[in-house]
Amino acid sequence: MKYIALITITLLSSLFSCKGEEDHTDKEITKKIVSHTTQIHTNDSLNISILLDLSDRISNPHQKDNDLKHLLNIATIFKDHVQNKKNILLEDHLQVFFEPNPSPGKTDAIATQLKFDITKNTINTIEEIEKNYTEFPIQLYQYAIENPNTKKGADIWRFFKDKVADYCIEKEHRNILIILTDGYLYHEGSYIKKGKRTTRINQSLLNTLALNKPTWKTTVEKNDMGILWEEKDRLEDLEILVLGINKHEHKNPYAEDIIKYYWSQWFKEMGVKKYKIKSVDIPMHLKKVIQDFLT
């Protein structure tokens, strides 16, 4: 009887031990599955925002045509992305912002047509993406060309200060901001300077004698020159692609490098971990850059 009791106790002990291990294993597996699912959702759900510089840079027809092709390329890449996902995983966004607003009262309707929130319940709107990005940006650029206020510049600096954290970042998404600009940061009504830091990159800055030399970078670093940024918001969850930096080299052969340095320094100080800054080029070449950055 003692042997039987001993065997029974041993078996029960083993059984409860195995049950405990199974419970622990099940919890670990569940935890890993949930974690993996969240990771897939986070990495695979795109939240793409496009910021258009609608200052007088677009008075150049070539520049306007390039922008329109870039917009369509971005829309096409986004459409391909959502079409290759399972419906249940769809949670992707595409939207357009612009600085300045070329025609308040008319542009809200255009921005609405260019905003897509693709989920399993709105999958029928996928076919409208390329159509809308072919039709409506043309109207937007026409309004900007006709409005003399666009000559005052595009307040991209204040867009980052006041809007980007609220408008361009969604939880559990890859948040990507694509900026179409020539690289200037300028609006005549928005100028702040503190020490050698400023909210502007314009021709006056590039014409500075100290920056029109091969030693410009040493001068910038030594004097702590750059874009002023004292905001508390950190943009670690935002990736940024800048397209269209102009060489501006007719008065300063180092202008393009200086502009890229200022933007890069600015992004780093905002906490941006992934960014790319590309010079102006034909849309066919930059489409690959966009594709590689998004995928």
Side-chain angles (χ1 to χ4, degrees):
M1 291 293 293
K2 290 182 180 179
Y3 291 116
I4 294 173
L6 182 60
I7 292 170
T8 303
I9 291 169
T10 302
L11 287 172
L12 288 172
S13 175
S14 175
L15 179 61
F16 281 116
S17 174
C18 291
K19 183 65 171 68
E21 289 176 3
E22 287 175 1
D23 286 345
H24 178 70
T25 303
D26 289 345
K27 289 177 181 178
E28 288 298 316
I29 291 173
T30 302
K31 185 177 180 181
K32 289 179 180 178
I33 290 173
V34 171
S35 174
H36 183 62
T37 303
T38 301
Q39 186 176 18
I40 289 174
H41 180 72
T42 302
N43 292 338
D44 200 40
S45 294
L46 296 181
N47 178 42
I48 300 176
S49 303
I50 306 169
L51 175 60
L52 304 177
D53 176 349
L54 295 183
S55 64
D56 58 358
R57 66 182 271 275
I58 63 167
S59 59
N60 181 340
H62 178 70
Q63 184 64 70
K64 182 195 75 171
D65 291 343
N66 274 4
D67 281 8
L68 293 174
K69 290 174 183 176
H70 291 325
L71 282 166
L72 184 56
N73 284 339
I74 294 167
T76 301
I77 293 168
F78 177 79
K79 177 186 175 183
D80 291 343
H81 166 78
V82 294
Q83 283 186 323
N84 288 325
K85 289 180 68 174
K86 292 182 178 179
N87 291 359
I88 196 171
L89 295 176
L90 286 172
E91 188 66 46
D92 298 83
H93 312 287
L94 177 65
Q95 59 186 344
V96 171
F97 301 98
F98 30 85
E99 286 288 340
N101 187 337
S103 184
K106 295 181 179 179
T107 52
D108 184 63
I110 294 176
T112 300
Q113 294 294 334
L114 298 176
K115 181 175 174 60
F116 286 88
D117 298 308
I118 306 297
T119 68
K120 63 180 180 180
N121 297 321
T122 61
I123 190 170
N124 59 306
T125 62
I126 291 177
E127 294 304 320
E128 299 176 12
I129 295 173
E130 286 178 317
K131 174 181 175 294
N132 286 14
Y133 271 77
T134 300
E135 177 181 348
F136 290 100
I138 295 175
Q139 299 177 27
L140 187 64
Y141 276 72
Q142 191 59 43
Y143 290 148
I145 291 171
E146 293 171 355
N147 190 340
N149 287 330
T150 58
K151 295 180 180 180
K152 295 179 180 180
D155 202 350
I156 295 175
W157 182 85
R158 195 163 292 279
F159 179 85
F160 272 90
K161 178 182 181 296
D162 297 336
K163 299 178 182 179
V164 72
D166 293 326
Y167 294 177
C168 304
I169 297 178
E170 295 280 349
K171 292 182 179 180
E172 296 186 359
H173 283 73
R174 272 193 70 203
N175 298 293
I176 301 169
L177 174 62
I178 302 175
I179 307 174
L180 304 186
T181 181
D182 58 2
Y184 277 173
L185 290 177
Y186 177 81
H187 188 277
E188 69 176 41
S190 179
Y191 178 58
I192 303 173
K193 185 176 182 181
K194 186 174 181 179
K196 296 291 185 179
R197 294 295 184 114
T198 176
T199 57
R200 284 184 177 175
I201 302 175
N202 61 357
Q203 199 61 54
S204 295
L205 173 71
L206 299 175
N207 289 345
T208 304
L209 183 61
L211 297 185
N212 203 343
K213 297 179 180 179
T215 56
W216 66 266
K217 188 174 181 180
T218 301
T219 301
V220 169
E221 293 175 344
K222 181 179 178 181
N223 294 283
D224 189 33
M225 299 171 69
I227 302 303
L228 177 65
W229 193 254
E230 297 177 329
E231 301 304 307
K232 294 181 180 180
D233 286 335
R234 300 284 292 173
L235 304 179
E236 291 96 341
D237 295 329
L238 184 67
E239 303 172 28
I240 303 177
L241 174 61
V242 182
L243 301 175
I245 300 298
N246 198 302
K247 294 184 180 297
H248 299 288
E249 61 184 3
H250 56 287
K251 293 184 178 180
N252 186 342
Y254 312 105
E256 182 181 3
D257 293 334
I258 294 170
I259 291 172
K260 289 181 177 180
Y261 180 91
Y262 266 55
W263 280 78
S264 296
Q265 179 194 55
W266 188 32
F267 291 159
K268 290 175 184 176
E269 292 180 353
M270 286 191 284
V272 178
K273 295 179 180 178
K274 179 181 179 181
Y275 63 87
K276 184 182 286 288
I277 304 169
K278 298 298 293 183
S279 301
V280 64
D281 204 342
I282 61 175
M284 181 184 69
H285 293 160
L286 288 179
K287 182 176 182 179
K288 183 179 185 305
V289 172
I290 299 169
Q291 179 82 52
D292 291 345
F293 193 88
L294 295 184
T295 60

